[in-house]
Amino acid sequence: MIDVPSSSDTTRHNTSELDSALAASFVDFDAIWRYQDEVRTCVNATLGDCIWNLDYNPIRQCIELELKRHLDDEELAMLTSQFTIPADYDGEGASGSMFVIYPW
């Protein structure tokens, strides 16, 4: 736990909360939007329009992608090899296959 002085009192925070807050405060959202655009373009070119969700996760510091469909092993390998930034298969979600993309 870390004591953080405030205007009215001292507040106690655990280090993971502070690390998350600091990471979120230094995010280059313009770069994130460019990476998301690149991911969207790659998915649309490879599989067609099948993105269910595409968001930045500040806690994991990655872009999370979930598709509208479940991919087989060959399609998973094909898609991950098409990304120009590091990406990993992250399992199956409620709507389809999920990926994490690491912009940094």
Side-chain angles (χ1 to χ4, degrees), residues 67-101:
L67 302 177
K68 293 178 187 175
R69 62 187 198 136
H70 299 277
L71 304 180
D72 62 27
D73 290 340
E74 187 176 310
E75 291 173 311
L76 291 170
M78 178 182 59
L79 181 60
T80 53
S81 70
Q82 296 300 314
F83 290 127
T84 58
I85 51 180
D88 289 324
Y89 171 65
D90 199 33
E92 294 297 315
S95 297
S97 299
M98 299 183 338
F99 299 85
V100 290
I101 296 102

Side-chain angles (χ1 to χ4, degrees), residues 16-30:
S16 64
E17 288 174 344
L18 290 174
D19 289 343
S20 296
L22 285 173
S25 67
F26 295 113
V27 173
D28 180 0
F29 285 103
D30 187 50

Side-chain angles (χ1 to χ4, degrees), residues 3-104:
D3 291 329
V4 179
S6 65
S7 59
S8 62
D9 198 6
T10 300
T11 306
R12 295 186 61 79
H13 295 280
N14 68 36
T15 54
S16 64
E17 288 174 344
L18 290 174
D19 289 343
S20 296
L22 285 173
S25 67
F26 295 113
V27 173
D28 180 0
F29 285 103
D30 187 50
I32 295 297
W33 292 324
R34 284 192 307 260
Y35 286 126
Q36 287 178 328
D37 217 23
E38 190 174 318
V39 167
R40 185 176 287 105
T41 300
C42 180
V43 170
N44 289 345
T46 307
L47 300 171
D49 183 21
C50 66
I51 294 177
W52 174 257
N53 188 33
L54 181 63
D55 278 326
Y56 178 71
N57 183 328
I59 294 170
R60 292 176 74 184
Q61 296 183 358
C62 68
I63 296 170
E64 297 175 329
L65 166 68
E66 184 172 359
L67 302 177
K68 293 178 187 175
R69 62 187 198 136
H70 299 277
L71 304 180
D72 62 27
D73 290 340
E74 187 176 310
E75 291 173 311
L76 291 170
M78 178 182 59
L79 181 60
T80 53
S81 70
Q82 296 300 314
F83 290 127
T84 58
I85 51 180
D88 289 324
Y89 171 65
D90 199 33
E92 294 297 315
S95 297
S97 299
M98 299 183 338
F99 299 85
V100 290
I101 296 102
Y102 303 100
W104 347 104

